[in-house]
Amino acid sequence: MTVRFGVIGADHLHLFQMVDRLVAAGAIAVAHAPTGGLVAMYASWRTESEERSADDILADESIALIVIAGVPCERAAVAVDAIRAGKHVLSDKPGVTTMAQLDQLRVAVADRPGRPWTVLFSERFENRAIGEAVAMARAGAVGKVVHVVGAGPHLLSANHRPNWFWDDTATGGILVDIGSHQADQFLFFTGST
């Protein structure tokens, strides 16, 4: 089965990484909503993707997956709408910025068994060193993992950041944005749930 996907929210450069991997795996970019500061760049890159409203994308039964890389505080609402429309969701991290958003997603996901919501933590999935370290830890090559330190570097690139990046209500703050990677890696290294 070929996965057809739509994009709702184009505000973070991770969108291009996410879509590139989906297309490389055989998925088809069908549509994108005209929302986000990077939507014009996305549309010129994925010329096969048709611009449609978010409602039209969610109503399209041929679209199985919604890719979300909008402003972080808006991602959860889009994800809930997509899940309720019967779609699977691939969201950029962080998938939520508040506990209330997480609670809303938990309710939506509980109604749809089968993992309809996934957050892409690019440091885990795109960094080969992390993948190798996890494989070694899970194989017992380093003994039992009792402590994990996250000190991953991150470039500020202040002159390339959109205004929303500096607003803690939009991003959830530094711990939600960058710290979520380290929390994800700790759970993955240790096999914890």
Side-chain angles (χ1 to χ4, degrees):
M1 176 182 147
T2 301
V3 174
R4 295 168 48 90
F5 68 89
V7 171
I8 301 177
D11 286 293
H12 199 290
L13 287 172
H14 287 164
L15 171 66
F16 298 91
Q17 181 181 41
M18 295 161 66
V19 168
D20 185 57
R21 300 308 184 266
L22 286 168
V23 170
I28 298 172
V30 175
H32 60 277
T35 56
L38 301 175
V39 72
M41 184 188 306
Y42 177 80
S44 67
W45 176 56
R46 299 279 16 137
T47 56
E48 74 277 23
S49 180
E50 179 183 14
E51 185 175 298
R52 298 190 213 164
S53 72
D55 289 341
D56 285 348
I57 293 170
L58 294 177
D60 186 336
E61 292 182 12
S62 77
I63 294 174
L65 173 68
I66 301 299
V67 177
I68 302 170
V71 176
C73 66
E74 299 169 359
R75 293 174 187 165
V78 174
V80 167
D81 288 346
I83 292 165
R84 289 186 177 146
K87 312 296 184 196
H88 289 270
V89 172
L90 176 60
S91 177
D92 188 15
K93 69 82 194 156
V96 302
T97 58
T98 68
M99 289 302 295
Q101 291 175 352
L102 182 58
D103 291 341
Q104 291 167 353
L105 268 158
R106 283 182 171 147
V107 169
V109 168
D111 291 339
R112 287 254 340 273
R115 200 175 192 171
W117 181 60
T118 302
V119 177
L120 178 69
F121 288 96
S122 57
E123 285 186 18
R124 173 162 48 116
F125 291 105
E126 296 290 332
N127 185 319
R128 293 169 92 183
I130 296 294
E132 185 62 27
V134 167
M136 291 174 66
R138 289 196 172 175
V142 295
K144 181 181 178 187
V145 176
V146 295
H147 183 70
V148 175
V149 174
H154 195 285
L155 298 174
L156 181 59
S157 303
N159 56 336
H160 299 292
R161 300 289 182 180
N163 289 338
W164 60 259
F165 182 83
W166 308 107
D167 179 356
D168 286 352
T169 59
T171 64
I174 192 72
L175 289 178
V176 170
D177 184 26
I178 303 301
S180 63
H181 277 298
Q182 279 68 40
D184 171 70
Q185 288 173 26
F186 172 79
L187 294 172
F188 197 57
F189 271 105
T190 62
S192 300
T193 58

